[in-house]
């Protein structure tokens, strides 16, 4: 069996995290912001699973990844509900217009 070094996993995870953070910082569409957050969370999950491959006797990385996935699913559901409510009120998906919701 061919063993992939952990450095490869960490490089891919770092690239995913950087792409997600750049997308979050530069884009203004709310759906793209949510996708960027999901990309960053998946990069963290990849790192946790990679470290779990190095230490197979300890399943803390996989357990923590499971909780991160559950939190990401809840974040996506709540985030999409907020985006839909925002779109119904303002008819736009730009995050710059979100400060107009203050009363």
């Amino acid at each position: 069996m061919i063993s992939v070094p952990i450095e490869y996993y960490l490089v891919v995870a770092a690239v995913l995290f950087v792409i997600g953070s750049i997308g979050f910082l530069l884009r203004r569409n709310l759906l793209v912001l949510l996708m960027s957050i999901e990309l960053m969370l998946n990069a963290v999950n990849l790192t946790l699973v990679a470290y779990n491959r190095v230490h197979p006797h300890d399943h803390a990385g996989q357990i923590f990844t499971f909780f991160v996935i559950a939190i990401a699913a809840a974040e996506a559901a709540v985030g999409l509900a907020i985006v839909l409510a925002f779109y119904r009120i303002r008819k736009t998906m730009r995050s710059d217009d979100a400060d107009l919701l203050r009363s």
Side-chain angles (χ1 to χ4, degrees):
M1 185 168 124
I2 298 174
S3 177
V4 179
I6 191 171
E7 291 84 13
Y8 293 172
Y9 291 109
L10 296 179
V11 167
V12 171
V15 168
L16 285 175
F17 194 85
V18 167
I19 291 171
S21 58
I22 288 172
F24 184 79
L25 293 174
L26 297 182
R27 301 301 299 247
R28 296 293 175 237
N29 189 326
L30 290 173
L31 290 177
V32 174
L33 293 178
L34 287 175
M35 288 190 301
S36 297
I37 292 171
E38 293 294 326
L39 196 60
M40 290 188 289
L41 289 173
N42 284 330
V44 171
N45 286 339
L46 181 61
T47 303
L48 291 171
V49 171
Y51 277 117
N52 195 36
R53 285 179 56 98
V54 173
H55 305 288
H57 58 280
D58 185 19
H59 295 293
Q62 288 183 352
I63 293 170
F64 196 64
T65 299
F66 176 73
F67 286 115
V68 171
I69 290 171
I71 291 170
E75 174 261 333
V78 172
L80 285 175
I82 291 171
V83 167
L84 284 174
F86 179 70
Y87 182 76
R88 287 181 182 163
I89 294 171
R90 293 288 175 199
K91 301 294 186 224
T92 184
M93 298 292 279
R94 293 185 50 84
S95 62
D96 294 341
D97 298 332
D99 63 345
L100 300 175
L101 293 177
R102 287 185 260 164
S103 51

